[in-house]
């Protein structure tokens, strides 16, 4: 399998998996490429049909597929990559603004699958390179422990900091758990004050959060910052502590708004109407555009070759 070499030496073809059309168009424009003409649909029995109509032989392909709710997306993605390979694409670079399947990164209980590794192996066998934003790295130190192909991980956390400085008066940032410190520190950028809480999760919807003394932040507006908002329970648990300590309802800012199940309703019911996310997953709360972050990451991948 070829590497990501020459990804930008020739005008890339940019293929949008379902729901990624806006980003694919923006990337094609920024990279002097073209959006691939293709048809991906389901047969009546639910299996995937794919046809790539644009000439692809010898051209680098950028495959755009954000991977929230990944089980529905992985098979079509793998089949698109296989089709492109079969038709002679020079290289296949996956741009996955949100890289799902990163949180089961250890065998917590005997018998569990470490699915981050298995999905990493699967995708690494299908594409030549990967670009993503803020993958959930906790017990894996680096994405290279999970993905064997060349990759660039960009971060949208500084962009959250930019948004906070422009939109919130006298903010302080709050990381709801130890893992969030890397994103909170990047968003704080050396000038915004921040504090990190601790979290114990006992179930998908059950978290217990503890906080240090918050007196030094009196009079400031809390902004919760995390990489992923899934069930929303982490944000809600941290917000309850802040409100019990006398602060206004915090703004909840996440890089990736997955919004699983009843997350949106639960946040509203908890009195948290101000939720802000990056556009790595399309959602009404998107307030931070990551297109330029991804373009820079793709250019970095090309220059790393
Ligand atoms: C933790 O592992 C992550 O950084 C997030 O805190 C977590 O994914 C949030 O999940 P939820 O919204 O389901 O509490």
């Amino acid at each position: 399998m070829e590497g990501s070499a020459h990804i930008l030496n020739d005008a890339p073809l940019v293929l949008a998996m379902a729901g990624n059309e806006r980003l694919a168009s923006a990337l094609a424009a920024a990279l002097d490429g073209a959006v691939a003409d293709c048809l991906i649909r389901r047969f009546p029995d639910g299996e995937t049909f794919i046809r790539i109509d644009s000439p692809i032989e010898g051209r680098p392909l950028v495959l755009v597929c954000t991977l929230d709710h990944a089980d529905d997306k992985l098979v079509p993605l793998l089949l698109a990559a296989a089709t492109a390979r079969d038709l002679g694409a020079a290289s296949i670079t996956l741009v996955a603004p949100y890289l799902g399947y990163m949180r089961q990164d250890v065998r917590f209980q005997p018998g569990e699958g470490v699915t981050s590794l298995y999905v990493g192996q699967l995708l690494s066998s299908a594409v030549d390179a990967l670009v993503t934003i803020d993958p959930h790295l906790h017990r894996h130190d680096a994405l290279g422990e999970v993905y064997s192909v060349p990759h660039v991980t960009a971060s949208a956390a500084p962009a959250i900091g930019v948004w906070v400085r422009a939109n919130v008066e006298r903010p302080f940032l709050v990381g709801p758990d130890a893992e969030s410190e890397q994103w909170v520190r990047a968003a704080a950028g050396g000038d915004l004050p921040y504090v990190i809480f601790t979290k114990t999760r006992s179930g998908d919807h059950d978290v217990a959060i503890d906080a240090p003394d918050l007196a030094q932040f009196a009079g400031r507006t809390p902004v919760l910052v995390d990489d992923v908002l899934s069930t929303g329970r982490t944000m809600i648990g941290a917000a309850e502590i802040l409100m019990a300590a006398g602060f206004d309802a915090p703004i909840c800012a996440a890089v990736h708004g997955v919004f699983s199940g009843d997350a949106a309703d639960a946040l509203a019911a908890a009195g948290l109407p101000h939720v802000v996310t990056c556009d790595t997953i399309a959602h009404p709360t998107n307030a931070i555009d990551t297109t330029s972050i991804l373009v820079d990451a793709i250019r970095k991948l090309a220059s790393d070759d």
Side-chain angles (χ1 to χ4, degrees):
M1 188 181 292
E2 295 184 31
S4 61
H6 315 309
I7 174 180
L8 295 183
N9 283 1
D10 199 359
L13 206 52
V14 184
L15 193 155
M17 299 304 292
N20 296 270
E21 293 79 4
R22 185 204 61 79
L23 177 59
S25 296
L27 293 181
L31 301 171
D32 293 326
V35 173
D37 192 7
C38 70
L39 175 65
I40 302 175
R41 69 172 180 85
R42 300 271 190 198
F43 284 112
D45 61 5
E47 294 181 359
T48 295
F49 170 89
I50 176 159
R51 187 181 72 222
I52 301 174
D53 291 314
S54 300
I56 191 171
E57 188 169 0
R59 288 184 78 176
L61 180 75
V62 175
L63 204 44
V64 186
C65 188
T66 203
L67 284 169
D68 60 301
H69 302 93
D71 283 15
D72 293 337
K73 299 180 175 180
L74 279 170
V75 169
L77 173 61
L78 291 168
L79 294 176
T83 304
R85 180 88 63 208
D86 195 24
L87 295 175
S91 64
I92 302 173
T93 298
L94 171 61
V95 175
Y98 173 65
L99 191 59
Y101 268 109
M102 286 297 290
R103 293 193 298 166
Q104 180 74 15
D105 53 4
V106 73
R107 196 183 325 282
F108 295 97
Q109 302 292 334
E112 291 179 356
V114 187
T115 48
S116 57
L117 293 178
Y118 314 150
V119 173
Q121 288 161 6
L122 202 58
L123 285 173
S124 294
S125 70
V127 304
D128 301 314
L130 169 66
V131 169
T132 190
I133 293 180
D134 292 314
H136 185 80
L137 292 171
H138 183 206
R139 285 156 287 251
H140 297 304
D141 288 331
L143 195 60
E145 294 174 17
V146 186
Y147 282 80
S148 58
V149 291
H151 54 269
V152 170
T153 61
S155 180
I160 289 180
V162 170
W163 184 92
V164 169
R165 287 182 196 86
N167 291 282
V168 186
E169 275 186 33
R170 302 206 68 224
F172 75 105
L173 306 187
V174 181
D177 54 28
E179 298 141 77
S180 67
E181 181 161 8
Q182 55 190 301
W183 296 287
V184 174
R185 200 183 325 112
D191 64 301
L192 295 178
Y194 72 85
V195 60
I196 305 296
F197 293 177
T198 54
K199 175 177 84 180
T200 308
R201 185 182 281 277
S202 53
D204 291 343
H205 295 81
D206 298 308
V207 299
I209 295 190
D210 287 313
D213 182 49
L214 299 170
Q216 63 178 303
F217 302 107
R220 289 184 171 271
T221 302
V223 182
L224 281 159
V225 176
D226 208 351
D227 61 334
V228 179
L229 188 163
S230 182
T231 66
R233 270 40 179 202
T234 299
M235 291 286 190
I236 291 168
E240 284 171 350
I241 288 184
L242 288 161
M243 293 189 281
F247 292 95
D248 289 342
I251 296 160
C252 300
V255 176
H256 308 293
V258 175
F259 292 95
S260 305
D262 69 350
D265 289 342
L267 287 159
L272 300 172
H274 305 300
V275 183
V276 168
T277 58
C278 300
D279 63 355
T280 57
I281 301 167
H283 191 266
T285 58
N286 289 168
I288 298 167
D289 186 343
T290 58
T291 308
S292 64
I293 294 171
L294 288 165
V295 170
D296 289 348
I298 294 168
R299 293 208 169 106
K300 181 170 184 332
L301 180 73
S303 69
D304 284 350
D305 274 346

